[in-house]
Amino acid sequence: MPHSALPRITSFLSAFARRQAARVVDLPGGFAVYDDAFVHSHANNQLIVDGAVAPEALPAVAEEALGHLPYRLISVLDDGVGAACAEPLVRAGYTHSTYLVMLHEGPVPAGGSAEVVDLDALRIPLTRRWRDLLPDAGDAVVRHLVDRREARRRAADVVHFIGARTAEGEVASWADLYLDRAAGLAQIEDLITSEAHLGRGHADAVLSTALRLAAGQDCGTRFLTADAADWPRHWYERRGFSVIGRTHGFERG
């Protein structure tokens, strides 16, 4: 049986995408989100499937919705629907990734030396990180990937950027924290540490602080998503998170 928290989490993810978008177009089985201010950001211009859909028809739906873009991104929030859509989408040239929905079921850390920071404090480390990941990307691409965080402020009732600083004051590790206090739900997302500061406990400080802040706002359902094929999932498991569901991502171009 699915975990009892999973439907609320899926609803939150769907609502977050809608609220973040500058424009939404409803489609069979889901909706497309667009933001021309961040046209280089795939996450801000994509197709979200949050309902029943005909798998064989999905490639054509994506072409209709995203045909003006040089890339295609489809996020399927239901595990069963995503598995059913994999074959026709891979056949149409998409790569398939699976993401884990991980719920925090361990004790909430008592401490956490990170703090809420503003976006300006993250611009330099975020820019450096994206240039490391995408060395051939142009300035506009990197700028959109950094500045798109601003759009996230409208996507949840409370949006915090959490940062852990070095002794010199540089933000070494950071993450987003999204709170829906009415639903008692919190998402921790995009936890990243600068390459120069790995292995020094900064990510632990960010995660502990985010969990403590969420608990302090009576958010008893605290979750994140992690790539099923990447090592951080195991790092999160050691810190009290467990897998309760899966979503699917399909990308081309």
Side-chain angles (χ1 to χ4, degrees):
M1 290 291 292
H3 194 284
S4 60
L6 194 56
R8 290 191 297 121
I9 289 173
T10 301
S11 294
F12 175 84
L13 293 172
S14 177
F16 187 96
R18 283 184 176 273
R19 292 174 63 174
Q20 178 181 224
R23 182 165 58 96
V24 177
V25 175
D26 289 309
L27 298 165
F31 56 95
V33 295
Y34 306 99
D35 195 330
D36 293 339
F38 307 110
V39 70
H40 294 294
S41 170
H42 299 194
N44 293 80
N45 300 272
Q46 63 163 311
L47 174 60
I48 309 287
V49 177
D50 61 354
V53 68
E56 292 291 343
L58 192 53
V61 172
E63 287 304 303
E64 180 69 22
L66 306 174
H68 62 292
L69 298 168
Y71 54 82
R72 309 282 184 274
L73 176 61
I74 304 171
S75 296
V76 183
L77 302 184
D78 180 83
D79 187 19
V81 174
C85 292
E87 184 178 345
L89 286 172
V90 170
R91 205 165 56 235
Y94 286 80
T95 58
H96 177 203
S97 300
T98 302
Y99 299 96
L100 307 175
V101 179
M102 304 186 71
L103 185 69
H104 185 254
E105 298 181 307
V108 175
S113 57
E115 61 191 73
V116 175
V117 299
D118 59 28
L119 183 55
D120 285 342
L122 298 181
R123 289 187 191 281
I124 291 176
L126 266 174
T127 299
R128 186 184 301 123
R129 180 64 172 164
W130 278 116
R131 291 205 179 279
D132 288 343
L133 292 172
L134 303 172
D136 298 325
D139 290 344
V141 173
V142 173
R143 186 171 63 254
H144 285 192
L145 292 173
V146 172
D147 290 350
R148 68 181 180 179
R149 260 182 164 79
E150 189 62 50
R152 298 177 187 176
R153 293 187 186 277
R154 60 180 177 246
D157 293 341
V158 178
V159 174
H160 289 316
F161 307 129
I162 312 297
R165 298 181 184 272
T166 66
E168 295 72 33
E170 178 184 354
V171 176
S173 185
W174 57 90
D176 293 359
L177 175 63
Y178 315 134
L179 304 178
D180 182 341
R181 291 178 291 193
L185 188 149
Q187 180 183 9
I188 300 165
E189 199 58 41
D190 277 357
L191 175 54
I192 300 171
T193 301
S194 294
E195 291 285 340
H197 302 296
L198 291 171
R200 302 179 188 179
H202 295 300
D204 268 310
V206 170
L207 184 62
S208 296
T209 300
L211 289 169
R212 180 172 48 79
L213 288 174
Q217 293 294 318
D218 295 322
C219 292
T221 301
R222 299 174 291 274
F223 79 98
L224 53 79
T225 61
D227 190 331
D230 208 355
W231 65 265
R233 62 165 296 186
H234 304 295
W235 188 87
Y236 292 125
E237 286 170 343
R238 293 194 296 272
R239 285 152 180 83
F241 286 84
S242 57
V243 177
I244 64 166
R246 291 169 174 79
T247 69
H248 297 261
F250 301 91
E251 193 157 6
R252 196 182 79 192

